[in-house]
Structures are given as structure tokens and as C-alpha cells.
Amino acid sequence: MKLCRFNDNRLGVVGDDGVRDVSAALSGLPSATYPFPKHDVLVAGLDSLRPEIERLARAAKPLPLASVKLLSPVANPGKIIAAPVNYTKHLQEALADKGIHHGNLVQEIHKAGMFLKATSAVVGAGEGVKLVHTDRRNDHEVELALVIGRTAKNVKAAQALDCIAGYCIGLDMTIRGPEERSLRKSPDSYCVLGPWLVTRDEVPDPGSLGVKITVNGEVKQDAHTSDMILSVAQLVEWGSAFYTLHPGDVILTGTPQGVGPVKPGDKMVATVERIGSMTVAVT
């Protein structure tokens, strides 16, 4: 199943013929009062809501995909955990290009660890990226993103995939400079998630997916998740060793080689095999 959020926080099922509005299923979610939960209630309740979502989708009239504004498929991620330099060739290009490392020490992921992006940076494909500090280099970084489906702590890699609700495409937009990663990667709109959430059953092997991005029609990054240093399961294991993972938490699995600058007016098209493509405007 492909689930999207669109327009005014509507919930949709994406198919070959368009988007089918299944927002009525949201009435089955538990009501929340202050203090609000630390997780995304839709992701947490997805398994129980799925029969009703499927029933509503069968009866709904499809809307043309081009007619809707796609939001992030995860409305309320509690945290966004990101994996730096998780592709060997990207590590090599980061070490070689001063425009990327900017004098910072670049280490492979086992030494660098993971980092956090602000949840306020999250937008959907239809909202686009609004650059800040345009006097500096702003880069695209396309990644496979995974969404946690249940509360997990100290998970072993062998069980890690069972903790995942689904996958989407992630754009880890980055301002180059000397500051810490989290600061430079967390401005508003610098974490694009989309175009929809593909449930785990549609991605049997997240380590066997093509990942690509074009800018104004020119291929910039084109790689494969089999090239990752740490696998999806290993990233979940490592992240859960430091944090309790909650439904709706997002892990960005790292970007491959080919990162490069974008400027206002550019159009990015990010693609991950078995998920789809999303077009993202840069302003």
C-alpha cells in the first residue's frame, strides 16, 4: 500500500489511477489530549486501520495525482535520525572536495556516528525546498528513508525490519560550512519526505533498491542501497541502542556519491526503486 498526505491534511491511497481519499478512516484514531503522545498516531495505528483504509479506497473516486499537493507522509515524527557518509564513494568525494568538508574532519560512519535533524525541517514534495543562506553552497542529498512502526529499544539487526512501518524517499538538504551537521541540515524545508509511505510488505529487501536524483533533467546521483556501509537493519539496531524508537520516527539511511549544489529555480526529481519519484521545486 502507498499512503500519502495531501492538500489540507487529507489521507490518501495512491494507485495507478491516482489518489483515493480515505480520510474518513482517521476517525478510528484515538483522541489525544495534552500532554500529546511522543509518536505519530497514524503510523502507530496503521495496522488496525488498514482494513478500513482498504475498504474506503475501493469505494473512492480517484483524484489525478497532478491535482493534489503532496505533504510529508509522516505528520508528526518524534525524531529524525540521519546516517552520514554511509556510502564509501560519498566518503571519498567528501574527503576530496573542500566545498563539501569545509575543513571539517570527515570520518566514516562507524566513527562519525549518526546525527539528528530537526522535525521542523520536514516538508512534503509539494511544498518544495526554500533555501536559506544562499551566499553559501546548498546541496541535494537523496536517500532511502525508513519510518519506524512500533516502539523499539535495543533491537538486534535480525529483528530490525519487523520494527519498520514502511519507506519513503528522503532529501537531506545541506548547507555547506564549518558548523555542526545538525545546524546546517535543519532549516525549515531541509528534510523532504515523500512522495508517499510505501508499507514494508511492498519492499521485501531495502538493501536492493536503486536511488537516483536529477536536477533540471541532469542525473546527479545514481547508486544502489546495496552499496551502503551499514544496512537498514544495522542502522535500526544502532539507532535503537541510543534512543527509544517510536512509531513515526524517521531514519535517513545516508546519501550516495554525486551530491551537488542547487539554486532557486532548480527542479529536483528524486527516485527510489519500488517507492516511486517525487518532483521538488527549489525556491
Side-chain angles (χ1 to χ4, degrees), residues 48-219:
S48 62
L49 290 181
R50 186 162 181 167
E52 178 65 3
I53 289 173
E54 292 173 341
R55 185 190 71 79
L56 290 168
R58 287 192 293 269
K61 181 180 178 180
L63 303 169
L65 188 57
S67 71
V68 304
K69 179 180 180 180
L70 291 170
L71 311 176
S72 164
V74 184
N76 296 294
K79 53 185 167 292
I80 302 165
I81 306 169
V85 289
N86 196 27
Y87 287 76
T88 300
K89 289 183 179 179
H90 175 50
L91 173 61
Q92 292 168 349
E93 75 174 351
L95 290 169
D97 186 348
K98 187 177 181 180
I100 295 176
H101 66 68
H102 215 275
N104 294 325
L105 176 64
V106 179
Q107 296 179 317
E108 53 95 12
I109 188 169
H110 294 91
K111 294 180 180 179
M114 295 193 280
F115 64 95
L116 298 174
K117 283 177 75 90
T119 56
S120 56
V122 173
V123 292
E127 297 169 281
V129 171
K130 185 175 182 179
L131 300 182
V132 299
H133 297 297
T134 52
D135 56 318
R136 292 162 63 167
R137 176 172 161 177
N138 283 256
D139 281 12
H140 58 76
E141 297 189 7
V142 64
E143 316 196 5
L144 172 67
L146 64 92
V147 179
I148 297 297
R150 64 176 177 83
T151 302
K153 177 68 175 175
N154 294 321
V155 178
K156 297 303 181 184
Q159 289 78 45
L161 297 187
D162 295 335
C163 301
I164 296 173
Y167 302 88
C168 59
I169 304 171
L171 285 181
D172 178 19
M173 303 300 297
T174 304
I175 303 170
R176 299 301 178 191
E179 302 91 354
E180 292 290 339
R181 279 189 178 95
S182 292
L183 178 69
R184 296 183 286 105
K185 290 172 171 278
S186 289
D188 297 349
S189 81
Y190 274 52
C191 184
V192 187
L193 298 177
W196 37 72
L197 176 72
V198 177
T199 52
R200 187 183 73 223
D201 54 297
E202 292 205 22
V203 186
D205 183 6
S208 182
L209 303 173
V211 178
K212 183 170 73 173
I213 191 170
T214 65
V215 179
N216 302 328
E218 182 181 352
V219 176

